[in-house]
Amino acid sequence: MTSLLTYTFKNLRNTSKWALRFCKFHLFFLFKIRFESSQTKSKKTLAKPNIRNIVVVDGVRTPFLLSGTSYKDLMPHDLARAALSGLLHRTSVPKDVVDYIIFGTVIQEVKTSNVAREAALGAGFSDKTPAHTVTMACISSNQAMTTAVGLIASGQCDVVVAGGVELMSDIPIRHSRKMRKMMLDLNKAKTLAQRLSVISKFRLNFLSPELPAVSEFSTSETMGHSADRLAAAFAISREEQDEYALRSHSLAKRAQDEGLLSDVVPFKVPGRDTVTQDNGIRPSSLDQMAKLKPAFIKPYGTVTAANSSFLTDGASAVLIMAEEKALAMGYKPKAYLRDFMYVSQDPKDQLLLGPTYATPKVLEKAGLTMNDIDAFEFHEAFSGQILANLKAMDSDWFAQNYMGRKAKVGSPPLEKFNTWGGSLSLGHPFGATGCRLVMAAANRLRKEGGQYGLVAACAAGGQGHAMIVEAYPK
C-alpha cells in the first residue's frame, strides 16, 4: 500500500482536475477499507483440535409460574414431560435418535425420584432410551447440560436431551422422625400386644410435620439471611437492590412484549386453560417496593420479597448434539457449548459468590477476556447477590485477598448484562434455570449479532458454575 500511495502523490501534479478528484477518492477508499477491516476483524472460534464440536440445536421451557398458581395440582414429571414434548415439537427430532436424557431437580418428589425417566416415558420416548436425574441445587440443569457435553465429547452419545424441573407448589412434607419410627415399628409388630406397646409410646408432638430444609445443612443459615449479610458486607443499600430488581422486571416485561422470550412454549394444563407466558413479571415502582418489610433479618435487613427471586414452578429442556450429527440431520444449531467450570467456596461467608470465582477461571480456560463477551446471563437469586458479585469482580483487593489472583477480572457492563430480564423477574424453578440461561444467551447472540456469551450461577453449598456459549455462524 505504501508504494501505491507514493506513486499517487508523485503523479498528482500531472493530472487534470477530474483525475485529481479520482486520486483523492482513491486515497479515501484505501484508507476506509483498511480502517473498516481493522474494526470488523472477526474473533477467533473456540473450536479445539481433535475434540468434537458440541452444539445446542434449540431449547424450550414451559412458562415459569409463581408457585401455587396454575401448576399447583400437577406433579414434577408433568412439567418435565411438557418441556420434552415442547422440544420434540419445536425441533421435530425423531425420538429414536435421542441417545440419552438427563434432567436436573432439587426438591425431589419421592414417587418419581428419577424424574428424567418418568418424564421421558410420559413424553413417548422409547423405554430403551436411558435417563437419569442429577441434583446440584440451583445449577442442577447446568450439571445436566455439562454431563451431556461429556457424553458426546467422549463419543458415548451423539444426541442428548438435557433439562430441569421444579414444582414448588407441592413439596414433600414428612412426618417427624419419631412418628416415622413409630409407624415402621408398628408395621413390624406381629401380635396385638406388640402393636399396643408401640402405640402406647405415641405423643402428640409426634404429629409435628418436617418441612424440607430451607437452610444450609452445614451452616444452618437460610440463603436469604446469607444474601442479607453479603449485601451488608459489600455496602449495598436497600435502594440499590430495589433499583436492580426494578430493572430486571422492566427488561423482562419489554422482552416479553416484544416476543423475545422465544424459548417459552404454551402448555395446556389439564383441567385448566393453556398457559402461554411467565406470570411473575411485575414491574412496580421504587416507592411501592420501599414499603415492603425485610424478609430475613428484621428489622434492619435489606433483602425483601421485591428484590428476591420468588418460588417458581417450571421446566426446561435443550437438544444437544455433536455438530456433525446435527448437520447431517439438516439442523442449523443455535450455539456451540464451549468451556465450562465448576467452583466451590466457603458456604458461610461466600455462599452466593460462585459467579465471581467461576468467571475468571472459565475465561482463562477459553483464552478470552471480559471484553470478548457480548452477552452475559447471570442467575439472579437476589438483587444483593448480583450486585455483590459485580462489586467483587471489580475489586483488586477481593481478587488478591480472597481469590489468590493478581488482579480483578472486571465487572460486566450492564448494557450487556441480563438484558431480557433474569431470575428475579422471569422466575427461578431451581432445577430448570440453567437451561433458561443458556438459551437466553444463545438467542441474544443470534438476535444481536454477538459471538460469545457467558452464563454463570451460584448455588447452595457455596458452589457455582460458568460456561462459554459461542454463537453458531449464520
Side-chain angles (χ1 to χ4, degrees):
M1 180 175 176
T2 302
S3 60
L4 180 59
L5 292 179
T6 303
Y7 171 80
T8 304
F9 279 120
K10 282 182 179 179
N11 288 278
L12 281 177
R13 296 173 186 173
N14 302 323
T15 57
S16 65
K17 179 180 178 181
W18 293 106
L20 180 61
R21 290 182 179 177
F22 175 80
C23 290
K24 287 181 178 179
F25 173 79
H26 186 62
L27 288 171
F28 169 77
F29 183 76
L30 287 171
F31 280 117
K32 184 174 185 289
I33 290 295
R34 171 166 283 193
F35 175 78
E36 288 183 345
S37 64
S38 66
Q39 295 299 303
T40 58
K41 186 177 180 181
S42 62
K43 300 174 185 175
K44 64 178 181 180
T45 180
L46 296 183
K48 297 178 180 179
N50 303 318
I51 295 180
R52 302 179 92 185
N53 280 325
I54 298 167
V55 297
V56 173
V57 173
D58 212 336
V60 302
R61 63 182 178 91
T62 68
F64 286 178
L65 302 189
L66 291 155
S67 65
T69 56
S70 295
Y71 297 157
K72 65 181 181 180
D73 296 325
L74 302 180
M75 291 180 66
H77 83 284
D78 294 318
L79 288 178
R81 179 181 61 203
L84 288 173
S85 297
L87 186 67
L88 290 171
H89 184 264
R90 172 72 60 89
T91 63
S92 299
V93 63
K95 296 172 187 173
D96 59 356
V97 170
V98 177
D99 299 312
Y100 210 100
I101 297 170
I102 312 165
F103 258 67
T105 195
V106 179
I107 301 178
Q108 295 186 343
E109 163 61 56
V110 294
K111 293 180 180 179
T112 57
S113 58
N114 187 3
V115 69
R117 176 64 170 170
E118 304 306 332
L121 292 174
F125 283 89
S126 167
D127 58 9
K128 303 297 188 295
T129 304
H132 80 267
T133 302
V134 296
T135 185
M136 201 174 181
C138 301
I139 52 176
S140 292
S141 61
N142 305 63
Q143 182 59 250
M145 289 184 290
T146 57
T147 300
V149 168
L151 288 171
I152 296 173
S154 65
Q156 299 298 311
C157 299
D158 289 324
V159 182
V160 179
V161 172
V165 63
E166 211 68 46
L167 186 74
M168 297 302 294
S169 290
D170 184 28
I171 56 176
I173 300 174
R174 303 196 300 180
H175 285 291
S176 67
R177 192 178 189 93
K178 291 180 179 179
M179 187 66 180
R180 298 199 306 271
K181 184 177 182 302
M182 192 190 79
M183 293 171 73
L184 290 172
D185 289 342
L186 190 62
N187 189 53
K188 295 175 184 177
K190 298 186 181 300
T191 66
L192 178 61
Q194 288 175 334
R195 295 190 185 99
L196 291 174
S197 175
V198 171
I199 293 173
S200 68
K201 299 175 182 177
F202 172 76
R203 298 293 181 269
L204 197 58
N205 63 1
F206 286 13
L207 296 176
S208 178
E210 191 175 284
L211 299 173
V214 294
S215 59
E216 290 291 311
F217 184 81
S218 60
T219 66
S220 299
E221 182 179 45
T222 65
M223 190 172 283
H225 194 283
S226 182
D228 228 328
R229 289 197 303 106
L230 188 67
F234 281 88
I236 298 167
S237 68
R238 162 77 178 270
E239 184 178 10
E240 288 176 302
Q241 294 175 62
D242 286 350
E243 287 174 350
Y244 183 84
L246 182 58
R247 172 189 185 270
S248 181
H249 282 275
S250 299
L251 291 174
K253 179 61 176 173
R254 186 179 71 183
Q256 188 178 67
D257 291 345
E258 294 179 2
L260 299 177
L261 305 179
S262 58
D263 56 332
V264 178
V265 292
F267 175 38
K268 175 63 175 73
V269 181
R272 293 176 178 266
D273 294 335
T274 299
V275 181
T276 60
Q277 62 182 19
D278 308 319
N279 72 357
I281 302 173
R282 52 186 195 285
S284 182
S285 68
L286 292 176
D287 288 340
Q288 288 296 111
M289 296 167 77
K291 294 177 182 179
L292 295 181
K293 295 180 180 180
F296 300 98
I297 298 180
K298 304 173 182 180
Y300 304 114
T302 57
V303 174
T304 70
N307 57 44
S308 307
S309 57
F310 49 88
L311 297 179
T312 315
D313 301 334
S316 58
V318 295
L319 179 60
I320 302 174
M321 288 187 177
E323 182 183 24
E324 67 270 19
K325 181 70 172 181
L327 296 179
M329 294 183 65
Y331 287 113
K332 185 61 181 283
K334 286 200 168 181
Y336 293 106
L337 294 183
R338 297 303 195 189
D339 293 289
F340 59 88
M341 181 68 63
Y342 287 95
V343 296
S344 295
Q345 52 277 337
D346 174 22
K348 178 67 176 177
D349 294 322
Q350 299 183 0
L351 177 70
L352 302 170
L353 290 178
T356 297
Y357 282 84
T359 295
K361 289 185 176 182
V362 79
L363 287 173
E364 288 178 354
K365 189 175 182 183
L368 300 176
T369 69
M370 292 290 276
N371 291 332
D372 292 316
I373 304 301
D374 302 299
F376 293 88
E377 285 292 332
F378 280 30
H379 164 48
E380 301 169 346
F382 304 89
S383 289
Q385 161 256 333
I386 283 289
L387 296 176
N389 273 277
L390 298 186
K391 280 194 172 184
M393 294 169 71
D394 204 33
S395 169
D396 283 321
W397 182 88
F398 188 88
Q400 293 161 5
N401 288 273
Y402 283 92
M403 302 174 67
R405 306 183 65 85
K406 293 180 179 179
K408 64 187 181 183
V409 67
S411 180
L414 284 182
E415 61 269 20
K416 296 181 179 180
F417 190 85
N418 290 12
T419 56
W420 292 358
S423 299
L424 287 170
S425 49
L426 300 172
H428 174 40
F430 301 147
T433 289
C435 291
R436 179 192 68 76
L437 294 172
V438 165
M439 288 314 304
N443 288 329
R444 281 181 56 197
L445 292 173
R446 196 176 185 88
K447 174 76 173 177
E448 299 162 8
Q451 184 170 358
Y452 295 124
L454 195 157
V455 170
C458 58
Q463 303 195 95
H465 174 255
M467 176 187 280
I468 301 294
V469 177
E470 182 180 352
Y472 199 85
K474 291 185 178 180

